[in-house]
Each structure stands twice: as C-alpha cells, then as structure tokens.
C-alpha cells in the first residue's frame, strides 16, 4: 500500500529551484512522511531565477509548512525571510525554510548533514585535519561545519583563489586556502579529504586530486551522489583509503529539514530508501 492521497487537511511543503524536476527531495520527504505516518506531502515547484522573493510570499499566502531551497535561490530567498539560523547567516545561503509561529526562518542544514553523514560511518571530524576541494556552496557549508565541530585544520583547494580564500575564511583561524597544485602536500598531512567540486558527475571526469595521494588511513568523502560510486570513491577504496559517498549528506540535510518542519524525529532508513529509489 502506498501513501494516502492528499486531502483537504494535508500539510504541504515544497522544493523550489530551477531545474527542480530531477530533485530527489520529494522522494526523500514523501518516503519520510509516509514512514512517520504524517499527513504531509512535498511537491516540486519550478521557480525561475529572480522569483525567490515572490515564492517566499507565495509560501506565506498558501500556508505551506516548509520549503526546501535549491539552485539558484539559496541566497535570493534571504531578504524575504523574517530570520535566519546561525549556519544560514554565516553562509549567506538557505536550503530550508521553516515556520516559527507565523515567522519564516531560513536554515542551512547542508554542513550539519555532512558532519552527521561521516559520523554515521564512524569518522570523527573533531580534531581532524580536513582538505576540501572546491569553494562553492557545498564546500562552504562543509568548511564552516567541520570548523564548528572542532576540526584541527581546514584547507581549501580551489581554482579561483578569491573564492578559495572566502571559503577558507569560514573556518576562522584553522582555515587556509591553497591553489590546486597545493592539494597533494595538504592531503599528505590530512585525515579527511572532501570532494566538493562537481568532478565525478560526468563520465570521463578527471579525479579532483592526484590518485597517488589516496592512501590507507585517509577518509575520502565525495559530495557527488550521482553516480553513487564515483571514480574518486572507487580509486580511494582500491588504494586502501576509506570511501564515504555523498548520499549520506543528502539524507541527513533532509532529515534536519524534516525535523524543523514536523518536530518529529526523522525516519532515516525510509529517507535513504527514498533517496535511492529515484536512481
Ligand atoms: P558550485 O557552487 O557551483 O561550486 C563548484 C566548485 O567546484 C567551485 O569551487 C568550482 O571552482 C569547482 N569546480 C567546478 N568545476 C571544476 C573543475 N572542472 N575542476 C576543478 N574545480 C571545479 O557547486 P556546489 O553547489 O558547491 O556543488 C558542488 C558539488 O557538490 C556538486 O556535484 C553537487 O551535486 C554536490 N553537492 C552534494 C550535496 C550532498 O548532499 N551530497 C549537497 C550539495 C552539493 P571555481 O570556484 O574555481 O569555479
């Protein structure tokens, strides 16, 4: 038996983005609502660039109970919100909007999702030396969260030096930026390597780091989750490193959003099944 059909009293949440058709959020959240026995539903709403503010006003007018926010709206929704949590304020990006009374509050659950996903694999970030490849939205959330969780050092390797410096600054005193050619010596002294570039999504992509830096004792976390098993993860495992895929972060950031919206503990296993059901 599938989930019950929506009725006149069903609570509605939405994911907004462009493109949003292929978002896994509806599959993840609808699996969670079903497993938790909640009369809630998530729909995907395509919202063009420039439409974030109107979409937030629409959320108020329509009485939506929450919103997931994806590209290109993560920064643009902010002026339309009543408040931000600490992570969203620090990052200048929102991936989840919740309600506190009638106030709309922006959250950013990506970084906490990353930390939860590696902890689930038995990897501790407190005291770890972390190297992050990339300096975009995903990298920034990881840099900020691992520094907040007490990483010993956070090194950002990025093509654009300016963006690399900006991301590293989110780690405060333990952050530093290096150019792409500085990644190998940094990884040689690291405990955790994080790929936060899109490299690995397309067939034939090069690795984000030279293969010979992958070694036993190194945790290699790839934020890319499509494909689930990237070439980086395959190469890491072949060289004795510990691979951690990106699906865990996707599930845990969604779990945090689920808890913001519903106040119920997130049914993680159902969410994981929902995340993989879409391929
Ligand atoms: P983004 O904001 O566009 O940033 C991309 C970063 O990757 C930039 O720093 C860019 O460098 C770098 N980059 C892009 N192409 C590159 C290349 N060919 N060689 C080296 N560096 C390159 O993207 P994002 O939103 O942070 O997402 C990054 C990846 O993380 C995506 O694959 C996304 O699917 C994944 N992600 C996963 C999760 C999850 O829950 N698992 C969540 C969010 C994102 P420059 O600054 O020099 O341009």
């Amino acid at each position: 038996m599938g989930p019950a059909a929506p009725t006149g009293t069903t609570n509605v949440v939405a994911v907004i983005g462009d493109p949003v058709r292929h978002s896994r959020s509806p599959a993840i959240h609808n699996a969670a609502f079903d497993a938790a026995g909640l009369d809630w539903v998530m729909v995907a709403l395509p919202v063009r660039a420039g439409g974030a503010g109107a979409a937030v006003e629409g959320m108020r007018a329509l009485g939506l109970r929450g919103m997931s926010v994806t590209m290109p709206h993560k920064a643009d929704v902010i002026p339309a919100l009543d408040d931000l949590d600490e992570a969203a304020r620090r990052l200048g990006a929102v991936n989840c909007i919740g309600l506190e009374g009638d106030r709309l509050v922006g959250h950013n659950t990506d970084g906490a999702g990353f930390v939860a996903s590696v902890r689930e694999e038995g990897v501790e970030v407190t005291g770890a030396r972390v190297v992050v490849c990339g300096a975009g939205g995903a990298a920034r959330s990881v840099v900020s969260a691992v520094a907040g969780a007490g990483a010993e050092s956070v090194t950002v390797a990025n093509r654009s030096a300016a963006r690399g410096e900006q991301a590293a600054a989110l780690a405060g005193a333990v952050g530093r930026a290096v150019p792409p050619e500085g990644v190998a010596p940094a990884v040689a002294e690291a405990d955790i390597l994080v790929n936060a570039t899109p490299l690995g999504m397309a067939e034939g992509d090069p690795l984000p780091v030279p293969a010979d830096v992958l070694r036993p004792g190194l945790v290699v976390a790839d934020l890319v989750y499509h494909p689930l098993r990237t070439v980086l993860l395959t190469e890491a495992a072949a060289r004795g490193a510990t691979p951690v895929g990106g699906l865990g972060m996707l599930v845990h950031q969604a779990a945090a959003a689920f808890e913001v919206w519903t106040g119920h503990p997130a049914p993680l296993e159902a969410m994981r099944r929902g995340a993989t059901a879409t391929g």
Side-chain angles (χ1 to χ4, degrees):
M1 211 177 75
T7 67
T9 56
T10 301
N11 295 294
V12 181
V13 298
V15 51
I16 62 165
D18 187 18
V20 78
R21 274 179 90 83
H22 300 294
S23 168
R24 295 188 190 212
S25 291
I28 296 172
H29 284 290
N30 288 324
F33 296 143
D34 188 30
L38 296 173
D39 183 18
W40 288 58
V41 68
M42 175 180 265
V43 292
L45 302 175
V47 173
R48 293 264 166 84
V56 171
E57 289 316 313
M59 176 178 173
R60 291 183 206 273
L62 296 169
L64 302 187
R65 298 294 300 272
M67 217 142 68
S68 282
V69 182
T70 65
M71 295 276 289
H73 305 307
K74 288 186 170 188
D76 292 354
V77 293
I78 290 176
L81 299 174
D82 299 309
D83 206 354
L84 298 176
D85 78 357
E86 199 198 321
R89 185 170 296 124
R90 207 173 327 120
L91 295 165
V94 161
N95 75 336
C96 160
I97 302 173
L99 278 165
E100 280 176 23
D102 58 1
R103 293 164 54 76
L104 297 186
V105 180
H107 301 256
N108 195 308
T109 63
D110 276 339
F114 173 78
V115 171
S117 75
V118 293
R119 282 190 174 146
E120 188 172 49
E121 300 293 325
V123 176
E124 190 42 70
V125 298
T126 306
R129 296 160 300 175
V130 183
V131 173
V132 179
C133 294
R140 289 168 58 85
S141 65
V142 168
V143 167
S144 179
V146 297
E152 181 182 308
S153 65
V154 185
T155 303
V156 176
N158 196 52
R159 292 183 309 196
S160 148
R163 267 199 291 276
E165 296 284 353
Q166 285 162 10
L170 291 165
V174 300
R176 69 173 176 137
V178 295
E181 54 278 15
V183 78
V187 175
E189 298 191 341
D191 305 298
I192 303 174
L193 167 67
V194 183
N195 174 39
T197 76
L199 288 174
M201 294 184 77
E203 210 164 313
D205 272 354
L207 294 177
V209 294
D212 58 11
V213 304
L214 307 172
R215 58 169 209 284
L218 180 70
V219 173
V220 179
D222 201 337
L223 303 195
V224 172
Y225 52 82
H226 190 80
L228 284 176
R229 191 80 178 171
T230 60
V231 279
L232 175 64
L233 295 176
T234 302
E235 193 65 37
R239 289 173 181 265
T242 305
V244 179
L247 199 74
M249 174 172 169
L250 184 72
V251 167
H252 280 279
Q253 62 77 27
F258 178 95
E259 291 176 5
V260 165
W261 297 332
T262 68
H264 285 254
L268 281 171
E269 279 319 309
M271 298 181 94
R272 221 182 306 274
R273 282 197 301 278
T276 45
T278 51

